[in-house]
Amino acid sequence: MEELSVLSRTVGSVTITWREPIATNGIVSYRIFYKVKDERNWWDFIFYKLTNETKVTVVELREHTEYEFVVQPFTRTGGNGSNSTIPVKTLFGEPG
């Protein structure tokens, strides 16, 4: 995985994007996980989506909360072990 980055963020969503590695080694899909950053355990990650795209928008997030997002590439035989992680904080809501 290369260049995992934040494309956009709102009060309740985050869009992340990444580039496929130069040598894909048979990658057929990506699994997206996220968790609130302060949660310490790996099992606190929530599976969000399986995709073959290199961009995903995660919705229904809490306002002004820091999350960690993980993109895990998968081949036909399973995960390839080269996960990428990025921290992102959602925005405050507009004053009413």
Side-chain angles (χ1 to χ4, degrees):
M1 295 278 307
E2 296 182 13
E3 297 184 28
L4 185 59
S5 61
V6 178
L7 188 61
S8 66
R9 60 193 177 112
T10 69
V11 171
S13 70
V14 170
T15 300
I16 56 175
T17 187
W18 59 95
R19 289 184 17 182
E20 286 186 345
I22 294 169
T24 62
N25 296 325
I27 293 172
V28 295
S29 63
Y30 300 92
R31 292 188 183 177
I32 313 304
F33 299 87
Y34 73 94
K35 73 176 184 72
V36 173
K37 188 171 182 184
D38 291 341
E39 301 295 328
R40 298 180 204 195
N41 302 310
W42 64 266
W43 57 80
D44 292 323
F45 277 97
I46 298 166
F47 172 71
Y48 183 72
K49 185 177 186 175
L50 178 66
T51 183
N52 59 0
E53 306 277 328
T54 57
K55 178 175 88 171
V56 66
T57 300
V58 180
V59 297
E60 298 183 16
L61 300 174
R62 293 188 299 208
E63 174 183 349
H64 195 63
T65 302
E66 192 163 10
Y67 290 91
E68 287 182 317
F69 294 88
V70 173
V71 177
Q72 182 181 42
F74 265 73
T75 64
R76 294 192 194 293
T77 59
N80 77 356
S82 62
N83 301 346
S84 292
T85 304
I86 189 169
V88 184
K89 192 172 198 173
T90 53
L91 301 177
F92 273 124
E94 292 290 322

